[in-house]
């Protein structure tokens, strides 16, 4: 038996032991099937909940009619609410939750840090700076030159997110080989720099409405969801998910450290840069679409890892489906928590995620990697 095969077997045993010993013994295929059923049921129930309640039976008939044409016409008011408002919103919540969970899982393995999330490379602060620039300078306003050219707030947020991530990767790669510690420290510095620049823009702004828009955008929202925004975001998330599912062996190796990766013939610096660039692109797209939604990319991979273990062949699909499920119900909470109003979904995810994360830390029921 070749050394590569032996190394791979060792890798898989260590991946299974590095937290899998404390993980619940759940067959991955069974868990994925259960999550898919829960996701379908959650989508059906969530389109029925809101300021205007729709009976689940009526929602089922409307969705069946929209999808297959055999459900029969429903109440026109309910049809408009579900088809034009709630269904695209629920689908966007699922796509964004899946994308954030995917990026969080990849970044935690790539940076070998359980506290890494999609915003560790300065993506959130860079997007905030881009959005603040567009809103407060008028580039994102209706009728402005930038908006007329298709360069509204989402475009500038996306540019800001990618620029911040590129700066972090450039600084993290300068001087010597790229290392997780350098990247995290560079991300911390860029986060602080972009945050200071955003605060300065807000401080010197003379538009109270612009300041309010910036504040609301940084808290995240799915209120702008529409059918036109779904194809691009869904395509990016699906392609990234398919790609990373094919990279499970490399992610397992990176999780065990650079020495183990080199032993398996993997260049950790090269794969680290590739994975982080792709994760930054996905996160930038999501942030540009719905603002900053925190804690999903941090907490969901931890919960999935505690259930299924750290082997990315099973962890990635479980985390992606769990992220979609989590954000669907977080959006439902945002819609119904305040009568005749809507909470920013970033507040809801933080309120739900922070206590759960603290609970997991206190109980210490799982390990990260081989620790």
């Amino acid at each position: 038996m070749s050394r590569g095969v032996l190394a791979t077997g060792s890798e898989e045993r260590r991946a299974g032991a590095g937290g899998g010993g404390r993980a619940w013994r759940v067959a991955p295929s069974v868990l994925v099937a259960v999550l898919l059923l829960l996701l379908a049921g959650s989508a059906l129930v969530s389109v029925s909940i809101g300021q205007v309640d729709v009976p689940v039976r009526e929602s089922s008939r409307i969705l069946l009619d929209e999808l297959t044409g055999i459900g029969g016409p429903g109440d026109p008011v309910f049809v408009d609410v579900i088809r034009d408002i709630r269904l695209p919103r629920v689908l966007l919540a699922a796509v964004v939750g899946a994308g954030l969970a995917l990026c969080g899982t990849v970044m935690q393995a790539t940076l070998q840090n359980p506290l890494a999330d999609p915003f560790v490379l300065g993506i959130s602060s860079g997007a905030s700076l881009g959005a603040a620039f567009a809103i407060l300078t008028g580039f994102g306003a209706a009728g402005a030159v930038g908006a007329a050219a298709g360069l509204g707030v989402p475009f500038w947020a996306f540019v800001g997110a990618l620029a911040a991530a590129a700066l972090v990767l450039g600084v993290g790669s300068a001087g010597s080989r790229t290392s997780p510690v350098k990247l995290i420290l560079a991300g911390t510095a860029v986060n602080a720099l972009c945050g200071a620049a955003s605060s300065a823009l807000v401080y010197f702004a003379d538009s109270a409405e612009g300041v309010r828009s910036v504040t609301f955008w940084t808290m995240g929202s799915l209120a702008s969801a529409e059918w036109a925004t779904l194809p691009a975001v869904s395509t990016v998330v699906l392609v990234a998910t398919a790609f990373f599912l094919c990279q499970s062996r490399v992610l397992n190796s990176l999780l065990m450290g650079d020495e183990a990766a080199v032993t398996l013939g993997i260049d950790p610096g090269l794969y680290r840069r590739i994975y982080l660039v792709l994760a930054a692109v996905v996160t930038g797209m999501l942030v540009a679409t719905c603002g900053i939604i925190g804690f999903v990319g941090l907490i969901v991979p931890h919960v999935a890892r505690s259930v299924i273990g750290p082997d990315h062949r099973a962890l990635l699909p479980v985390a992606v489906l769990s992220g979609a499920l989590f954000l669907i119900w977080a959006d439902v909470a945002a819609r119904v928590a305040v009568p005749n109003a809507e909470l920013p979904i970033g507040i809801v995810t933080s309120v739900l995620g922070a206590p759960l994360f603290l609970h997991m830390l206190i109980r210490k029921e799982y390990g990260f990697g081989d620790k």
Side-chain angles (χ1 to χ4, degrees), residues 24-370:
W24 302 344
R25 296 300 183 182
V26 181
S29 58
V30 173
L31 186 56
V32 168
V34 169
L35 287 172
L36 286 172
L37 291 175
L38 288 175
L39 195 58
S42 297
L44 173 61
V45 175
S46 62
V47 298
S48 305
I49 301 174
Q51 300 298 334
V52 177
D53 288 329
V54 180
V56 174
R57 178 176 297 180
E58 183 72 11
S59 299
S60 304
R61 185 170 64 176
I62 292 171
L63 291 177
L64 189 61
D65 181 61
E66 292 293 326
L67 294 174
T68 65
I70 62 174
D75 187 308
V77 175
F78 291 158
V79 170
D80 291 340
V81 168
I82 290 178
R83 181 185 59 201
D84 299 331
I85 300 175
R86 291 188 185 166
L87 186 56
R89 180 166 179 153
V90 168
L91 293 177
L92 182 62
V95 170
V96 172
L100 291 175
L102 171 71
C103 293
T105 305
V106 169
M107 285 189 169
Q108 288 175 11
T110 303
L111 298 178
Q112 302 160 19
N113 190 318
L115 297 179
D117 73 351
F119 304 129
V120 74
L121 297 185
I123 297 172
S124 60
S125 57
S128 297
L129 178 58
F133 170 80
I135 293 171
L136 298 177
T137 62
F139 276 82
V145 176
L151 310 182
V153 175
F155 171 82
W156 289 106
F158 184 70
V159 169
L162 292 190
L167 180 59
V168 170
L169 288 172
V171 172
S173 303
S176 60
R177 68 183 180 87
T178 304
S179 70
V181 174
K182 286 180 63 178
L183 288 170
I184 292 173
L185 293 177
T188 301
V190 171
N191 264 316
L193 181 63
C194 292
S198 299
S199 298
L201 283 174
V202 171
Y203 180 79
F204 289 108
D206 56 3
S207 170
E209 182 62 28
V211 171
R212 185 177 181 277
S213 297
V214 171
T215 302
F216 189 80
W217 189 90
T218 56
M219 294 179 183
S221 175
L222 298 171
S224 61
E226 55 186 25
W227 289 109
T229 62
L230 278 171
V233 180
S234 301
T235 300
V236 169
V237 172
L238 286 174
V239 170
T241 301
F243 172 79
F244 284 118
L245 284 173
C246 298
Q247 301 295 308
S248 299
R249 176 179 175 273
V250 178
L251 288 169
N252 285 344
S253 302
L254 292 176
L255 185 63
M256 293 187 295
D258 288 3
E259 292 183 1
V262 171
T263 301
L264 295 170
I266 295 170
D267 183 349
L270 174 62
Y271 280 98
R272 187 171 288 123
R273 287 190 293 271
I274 293 174
Y275 292 170
L276 293 181
V277 167
L278 291 177
V281 170
V282 175
T283 305
M285 186 76 174
L286 299 178
V287 170
T289 302
C290 57
I292 298 171
I293 301 176
F295 259 99
V296 179
L298 177 63
I299 189 64
V300 171
H302 281 279
V303 174
R305 193 177 292 110
S306 70
V307 174
I308 205 68
D311 187 346
H312 286 81
R313 291 172 299 183
L315 176 60
L316 281 173
V318 170
V320 166
L321 294 174
S322 300
L325 196 62
F326 175 76
L327 204 60
I328 284 177
W329 285 107
D331 182 54
V332 171
R335 280 187 268 145
V336 303
V338 180
N340 301 317
E342 177 183 324
L343 277 178
I345 195 170
I347 295 177
V348 177
T349 57
S350 297
V351 168
L352 295 176
L356 179 59
F357 189 64
L358 292 174
H359 175 69
M360 293 178 64
L361 289 178
I362 292 172
R363 294 185 65 179
K364 296 180 180 179
E365 287 192 345
Y366 76 103
F368 181 78
D370 59 352

